[in-house]
């Protein structure tokens, strides 16, 4: 069907009814790095929170982190919050207007726009990857929204994507960003997973802020790669423009009103991680090496069962489409993604959030599967997985993969 024959876009939620949109429980991840635990413990007596947007030490550490990645600027262009949800909420509120995002998208995105009561629209992604909109579909969606009286102002994207675990090719990122900027949209680039590339020497990640420096705010949840999920802290990098400075000030006002302040011990640990000492960078490398083995094995199990999934390239999830197994799933009472979530969560013994949490239609049998449970059930097993040269040979990993594959294979 051509775009001209499609129905006008509808804001998120109108095609789902009363669906549970709340984000899934976070992956507990790997054991806490002892060096970070030591920094947190040393600052435990500091009882005051950081000022709104983060203190000087944390913001300077974030500035230097982005400087090493080719994104220049000063600490005055950085803001921090206790987790990605309040920071994204403040960013969306500071810009106002309608919000556009790819389908599927991270589970933390939709609730923020809905909470603010702002119209938000999904845009299809290209066949190659998730995380960014198809450029032509984006232009058409903007045109249709404006024709209906809407005010599209903000585009959310993630080049290294959760939930699809894909990495957007630089040429597609450029086309999508150029389309957005040409229509006057500001871009929020969620780069939470940029340091989790499974094969960093074989892939190229291009930040939209490198191409459109005045039109992109970069967002990063440190729990993606650098800190434990139980230590909530996220940082945002604003463009070096007067308009961006005004929006940052508005973000700080909103964070103040929410009481969204980073605890000082967590801020000290986060600043240490952002400084990327050897212990932290070694852990990041080990985790990437581990996922480079585990994620493809899980992907093979999904394909062997007859389901579909893009090859995972980053993060610790993969996004599976069980549509080809619809008949067998229906025999088990599974007809939509909510029922699929409940079924696979019971069968796998681990959370398996359905695609409805990521913006996919309820009737699509899609699910995000985590590789975390395949690494071991105890800190000792997880550390053994992390340090193994060939983790697939470990008994606890092989056993977990066998259970994972069997749960899918019984649907063939």
């Amino acid at each position: 069907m051509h775009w001209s024959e499609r129905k006008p876009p509808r804001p998120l939620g109108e095609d789902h009814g009363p669906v549970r949109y709340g984000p899934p429980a976070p992956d507990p991840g790997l054991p806490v790095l002892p060096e970070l635990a030591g920094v947190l413990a040393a600052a435990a007596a500091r009882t005051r929170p950081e000022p709104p947007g983060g203190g000087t030490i944390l913001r300077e550490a974030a500035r230097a982190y982005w400087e090493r990645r080719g994104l220049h600027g000063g600490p005055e262009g950085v803001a921090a919050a206790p987790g990605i949800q309040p920071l994204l909420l403040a960013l969306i509120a500071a810009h106002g207007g309608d919000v556009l995002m790819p389908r599927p998208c991270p589970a933390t995105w939709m609730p923020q726009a809905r909470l603010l009561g702002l119209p938000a629209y999904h845009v299809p992604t290209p066949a190659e990857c998730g995380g960014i909109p198809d450029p032509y579909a984006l232009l058409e969606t903007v045109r249709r929204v404006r024709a209906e009286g809407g005010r599209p102002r903000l585009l959310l994207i993630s080049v290294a994507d959760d939930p699809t675990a894909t990495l957007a090719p630089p040429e597609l990122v450029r086309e999508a960003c150029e389309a957005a900027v040409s229509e006057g949209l500001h871009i929020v680039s969620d780069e939470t997973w940029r340091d989790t590339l499974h094969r960093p020497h074989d892939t190229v990640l291009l930040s939209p802020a490198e191409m459109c420096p005045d039109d992109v705010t970069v967002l990063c949840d440190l729990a993606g790669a650098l800190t434990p999920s139980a230590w909530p802290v996220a940082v945002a990098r604003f463009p070096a423009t007067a308009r961006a400075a005004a929006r940052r000030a508005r973000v700080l006002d909103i964070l103040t009103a929410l009481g969204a302040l980073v605890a000082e011990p967590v801020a000290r640990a986060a600043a240490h991680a952002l400084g990327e000492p050897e212990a932290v960078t070694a852990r990041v490398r080990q985790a990437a090496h581990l996922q480079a083995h585990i994620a493809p094995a899980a992907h093979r199990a999904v394909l062997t069962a007859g389901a579909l999934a893009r090859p995972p390239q980053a993060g610790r999830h993969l996004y599976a489409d069980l549509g080809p197994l619809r008949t067998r799933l229906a025999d088990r009472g599974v007809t939509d993604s909510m029922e699929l979530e409940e079924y696979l969560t019971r069968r796998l013994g681990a959370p398996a959030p359905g695609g409805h949490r990521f913006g996919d239609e309820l009737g699509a049998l899609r699910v995000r599967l985590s590789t975390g449970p395949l690494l071991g059930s105890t800190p000792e097993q997880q550390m053994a997985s992390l340090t193994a040269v060939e983790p697939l040979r470990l008994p606890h990993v092989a056993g977990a993969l066998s259970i994972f594959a069997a749960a899918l294979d019984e649907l063939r």
Side-chain angles (χ1 to χ4, degrees), residues 204-242:
V204 177
L205 186 149
L206 184 63
S207 171
E210 296 180 65
M211 296 177 292
C212 308
D214 293 342
D215 299 290
V216 178
T217 298
V218 179
L219 187 63
C220 182
D221 186 347
L222 301 192
L226 298 177
T227 64
S229 59
W231 303 357
V233 58
V235 289
R237 175 194 175 274
F238 292 80
T241 66

Side-chain angles (χ1 to χ4, degrees), residues 123-165:
V123 184
T125 56
E128 295 93 328
C129 62
I132 62 169
D134 177 271
Y136 298 103
L138 174 63
L139 293 172
E140 181 63 16
T141 301
V142 170
R143 184 187 70 79
R144 286 174 173 266
V145 170
R146 285 188 174 137
E148 294 177 356
R151 299 181 303 143
R153 289 186 176 176
L154 199 62
L155 172 66
L156 309 183
I157 63 175
S158 55
V159 176
D161 185 44
D162 168 29
T164 65

Side-chain angles (χ1 to χ4, degrees), residues 194-206:
R194 68 169 297 151
D195 295 324
T196 68
L197 303 185
H198 299 170
R199 301 188 182 279
H201 300 297
D202 299 336
T203 50
V204 177
L205 186 149
L206 184 63

Side-chain angles (χ1 to χ4, degrees), residues 85-103:
Q85 291 93 337
L87 189 51
L88 181 59
L89 180 77
L91 281 168
I92 294 174
H95 283 82
D98 300 356
V99 183
L100 283 74
M101 59 188 75
R103 184 196 296 269

Side-chain angles (χ1 to χ4, degrees), residues 99-126:
V99 183
L100 283 74
M101 59 188 75
R103 184 196 296 269
C105 65
T108 55
W109 290 4
M110 291 185 293
Q112 315 309 318
R114 291 169 62 85
L115 183 61
L116 291 167
L118 294 175
Y121 302 87
H122 275 305
V123 184
T125 56

Side-chain angles (χ1 to χ4, degrees), residues 21-405:
Y21 278 100
D27 190 327
L30 294 165
V32 177
L33 190 65
E35 183 171 315
L36 288 183
V39 174
L40 184 76
R46 298 179 179 273
T47 58
R48 292 187 177 183
E50 296 271 288
T56 303
I57 294 175
L58 177 57
R59 290 186 291 108
E60 173 58 28
R63 181 211 63 78
Y65 167 87
W66 277 309
E67 181 88 19
R68 292 190 294 273
R69 286 154 180 79
L71 302 179
H72 308 290
E76 69 280 357
V78 175
I84 198 168
Q85 291 93 337
L87 189 51
L88 181 59
L89 180 77
L91 281 168
I92 294 174
H95 283 82
D98 300 356
V99 183
L100 283 74
M101 59 188 75
R103 184 196 296 269
C105 65
T108 55
W109 290 4
M110 291 185 293
Q112 315 309 318
R114 291 169 62 85
L115 183 61
L116 291 167
L118 294 175
Y121 302 87
H122 275 305
V123 184
T125 56
E128 295 93 328
C129 62
I132 62 169
D134 177 271
Y136 298 103
L138 174 63
L139 293 172
E140 181 63 16
T141 301
V142 170
R143 184 187 70 79
R144 286 174 173 266
V145 170
R146 285 188 174 137
E148 294 177 356
R151 299 181 303 143
R153 289 186 176 176
L154 199 62
L155 172 66
L156 309 183
I157 63 175
S158 55
V159 176
D161 185 44
D162 168 29
T164 65
T166 59
L167 182 66
E171 60 273 15
L172 283 177
V173 177
R174 182 177 299 278
E175 291 174 8
C177 290
E178 289 176 349
V181 172
S182 72
E183 292 296 329
L185 301 180
H186 187 78
I187 300 167
V188 173
S189 176
D190 185 342
E191 299 181 10
T192 293
W193 301 98
R194 68 169 297 151
D195 295 324
T196 68
L197 303 185
H198 299 170
R199 301 188 182 279
H201 300 297
D202 299 336
T203 50
V204 177
L205 186 149
L206 184 63
S207 171
E210 296 180 65
M211 296 177 292
C212 308
D214 293 342
D215 299 290
V216 178
T217 298
V218 179
L219 187 63
C220 182
D221 186 347
L222 301 192
L226 298 177
T227 64
S229 59
W231 303 357
V233 58
V235 289
R237 175 194 175 274
F238 292 80
T241 66
R243 177 178 293 183
R247 285 174 175 158
R248 178 182 179 275
R250 176 60 177 155
V251 165
L252 298 189
D253 289 342
I254 296 168
L255 293 176
T256 302
L258 294 173
L261 311 177
V262 181
E264 191 167 346
V266 173
R268 293 300 177 96
H272 186 80
L274 284 166
E276 298 180 292
E278 176 55 31
V280 171
T281 56
R283 169 62 68 87
V284 171
R285 288 194 300 268
Q286 287 177 320
H289 174 267
L290 176 58
Q291 291 297 338
H293 289 79
I294 299 294
H299 182 247
R300 287 192 295 271
V302 169
L303 299 185
T304 299
L308 304 174
R310 292 186 179 104
Q313 298 172 282
R316 44 183 181 253
H317 309 105
L318 62 138
Y319 199 61
D321 182 355
L322 275 64
L325 308 176
R326 184 176 294 274
T327 300
R328 295 296 300 273
L329 284 166
D331 292 340
R332 291 164 170 77
V334 177
T335 60
D336 61 33
S337 64
M338 288 179 67
E339 293 169 345
L340 179 62
E341 173 182 310
E342 294 169 358
Y343 173 81
L344 283 178
T345 296
R346 288 195 307 268
R347 186 67 183 82
L348 295 172
H356 59 283
R357 296 182 182 270
F358 308 101
D360 260 326
E361 297 191 7
L362 186 61
L365 294 175
R366 300 191 181 107
V367 63
R368 192 188 71 176
L369 301 169
S370 173
T371 58
L374 305 176
L375 310 183
S377 57
T378 66
E380 293 76 18
Q381 289 182 340
Q382 293 166 352
M383 287 303 298
S385 299
L386 189 65
T387 56
V389 176
E390 297 185 41
L392 297 181
R393 293 182 177 271
L394 296 174
H396 64 269
V397 172
L401 276 168
S402 178
I403 293 172
F404 178 86

